[in-house]
């Protein structure tokens, strides 16, 4: 059981969830300032979590 891979998978799942939540907010937005701020915040956090999770899973080597 490799803890880094599990943490990377968790970060990737959180990133995907953040990006999906951003898409849901984007679909229901009316263009208010509050909507735009939440789009930017959740989108950036989703991208950061997704990219860091993928890179952590990629760079971790299997040790059996």
């Amino acid at each position: 059981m490799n803890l880094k891979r599990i943490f990377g998978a968790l970060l990737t799942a959180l990133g995907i969830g953040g990006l999906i939540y951003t898409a849901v907010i984007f679909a229901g937005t009316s263009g208010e300032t509050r909507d735009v701020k939440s789009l930017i915040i959740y989108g950036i956090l989703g991208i950061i979590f997704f990219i860091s999770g993928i890179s952590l899973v990629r760079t971790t080597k299997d040790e059996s």
Side-chain angles (χ1 to χ4, degrees):
M1 185 165 98
N2 200 341
L3 192 60
K4 283 186 182 179
R5 277 200 182 253
I6 293 171
F7 188 63
L10 180 68
L11 280 176
T12 304
L14 283 173
I16 290 171
L19 292 173
I20 289 173
Y21 187 63
T22 303
V24 169
I25 292 175
F26 180 73
T29 189
S30 61
E32 296 178 9
T33 305
R34 183 174 175 228
D35 294 334
V36 173
K37 285 181 183 178
S38 63
L39 276 172
I40 291 170
I41 291 169
Y42 291 129
I44 289 174
L45 285 176
I47 289 172
I48 289 172
F49 283 178
F50 183 73
I51 290 173
S52 64
I54 291 293
S55 66
L56 189 61
V57 170
R58 262 190 182 171
T59 58
T60 305
K61 298 182 180 176
D62 285 333
E63 295 176 3
S64 297

